[in-house]
Amino acid sequence: MVDLANLRDPVVIAAFEGWNDAAEAATGAVDHLIDEWEAELVTAIDPEDYYDYQVNRPRVGLDEDGVRHLTWPTTRIYLARPDDTGRDVLLIRGVEPNMRWRAFSRELLEIVDESNAQLVVVLGALLADSPHTRPIPVSATSSDEELTAAWSLEPSTYEGPTGITGVFADLCTTLGVPAVSIWSAIPHYIAGTPCPKASLALLSKIEALLDMAMPEGDLPELARAWQRGADELSEEDPEVAEYVQSLEEQRDTADLPEATGEAIAAEFERYLKRRNKNHGD
């Protein structure tokens, strides 16, 4: 196993297949980082304790040499040492377990503790009434009060069923490891295929929050290809086109700035600054 004791200001980024991963956007983002950073496999969770193989079956395939091999469903931890970021990154890429979620999360957290990482970023993706013609909505929340205040995050207000992302993030916070959850909202009417546009949006949010460069690689081109395919679907089906237009109107209306007293005061303040600048004051 790779020595994790002397990493550079490490951060953890995690994503799991399954309920938390609409259109494979979250795992797609982590897979992209593993490839771009040529991350090294550190360890893998023993699947015997956590997976029901009748639900998540092992897969048989051929490697590059034509040798047949068996791949078990599990969660793997990779280490990336990108030269241009000044910090190391543990990448957790797995499958949502079928049982013993608390023990599974504790096992992952032991690895986080060994690395001395002071931040865990958990990625997720959900289906939403979002038009594909607009930027993918991305939200970031945390239950850690200091992190919420430092990054001006919204406290998590969600109530209802949760996945392994919620359980893992909650255990991190409970045991004193700051965790932030970043979610992208996938257009539900076109969620049957992977959505690189959403993966790219998640990476952009990570980059903004951590002030840490994320490699884009071929994701922008893949996102444009996805956009073209979604546009073609909309153009070919009048009902889909009408529905997309209604979502666009809802989204554009929701994005309009509210004419509140605070908004008006802020705009007036910006006007005064522009005025003073123009007059050389």
Side-chain angles (χ1 to χ4, degrees), residues 51 57 69 97 127 214 264:
Y51 295 98
R57 293 183 178 272
H69 63 91
L127 301 180
M214 295 286 114
I264 293 172

Side-chain angles (χ1 to χ4, degrees), residues 34-279:
I34 291 171
D35 291 340
E36 288 293 316
W37 281 335
E38 299 180 349
E40 177 183 5
L41 179 63
V42 173
T43 188
I45 301 296
D46 186 344
E48 287 292 315
D49 293 331
Y50 305 114
Y51 295 98
D52 180 345
Y53 298 141
Q54 291 183 325
V55 177
N56 291 298
R57 293 183 178 272
R59 299 180 65 87
V60 176
L62 302 176
D63 62 18
E64 295 178 355
D65 299 322
V67 178
R68 196 173 185 82
H69 63 91
L70 192 65
T71 301
W72 294 90
T74 187
T75 292
R76 296 177 174 83
I77 296 88
Y78 298 83
L79 174 61
R81 302 176 182 269
D83 295 332
D84 58 345
T85 65
R87 68 194 313 178
D88 296 324
V89 184
L90 276 182
L91 297 164
I92 299 177
R93 201 289 190 198
V95 181
E96 183 176 70
N98 303 111
M99 61 197 80
R100 303 184 69 225
W101 283 16
R102 287 179 293 183
F104 176 85
S105 298
R106 285 195 296 269
E107 192 166 338
L108 288 181
L109 199 59
E110 288 177 2
I111 298 172
V112 174
D113 285 341
E114 184 180 348
S115 72
N116 295 313
Q118 298 302 306
L119 177 67
V120 173
V121 178
V122 183
L123 304 182
L126 51 84
L127 301 180
D129 294 330
S130 177
H132 73 274
T133 52
R134 299 293 186 267
I136 296 289
V138 177
S139 61
T141 62
S142 178
S143 297
D144 184 277
E145 294 182 358
E146 292 185 6
L147 195 61
T148 299
W151 286 357
S152 300
L153 301 177
E154 292 293 329
S156 179
T157 59
Y158 170 76
E159 295 179 302
T162 190
I164 191 60
T165 56
V167 173
F168 181 47
D170 180 74
L171 182 63
C172 289
T173 301
T174 300
L175 298 182
V177 180
V180 58
S181 296
I182 303 178
W183 285 76
S184 60
I186 312 296
H188 68 86
Y189 57 90
I190 194 169
T193 58
C195 183
K197 182 177 179 179
S199 297
L200 186 61
L202 286 170
L203 293 181
S204 296
K205 189 67 172 180
I206 297 173
E207 184 171 272
L209 289 177
L210 273 61
D211 191 24
M212 175 181 176
M214 295 286 114
E216 291 188 344
D218 60 354
L219 266 185
E221 179 55 36
L222 293 174
R224 287 190 288 270
W226 179 89
Q227 183 76 46
R228 290 192 296 270
D231 289 340
E232 291 173 2
L233 171 67
S234 177
E235 293 168 359
E236 293 171 358
D237 191 326
E239 291 186 359
V240 173
E242 183 178 354
Y243 180 63
V244 171
Q245 183 178 359
S246 69
L247 292 179
E248 290 173 340
E249 293 172 353
Q250 295 173 22
R251 174 73 176 275
D252 294 344
T253 299
D255 288 344
L256 289 174
E258 297 181 5
T260 61
E262 291 183 1
I264 293 172
E267 180 58 34
F268 183 64
E269 186 174 337
R270 286 192 291 270
Y271 162 76
L272 290 178
K273 289 181 179 179
R274 291 194 302 270
R275 181 175 178 274
N276 290 338
K277 182 178 181 180
N278 292 336
H279 285 78

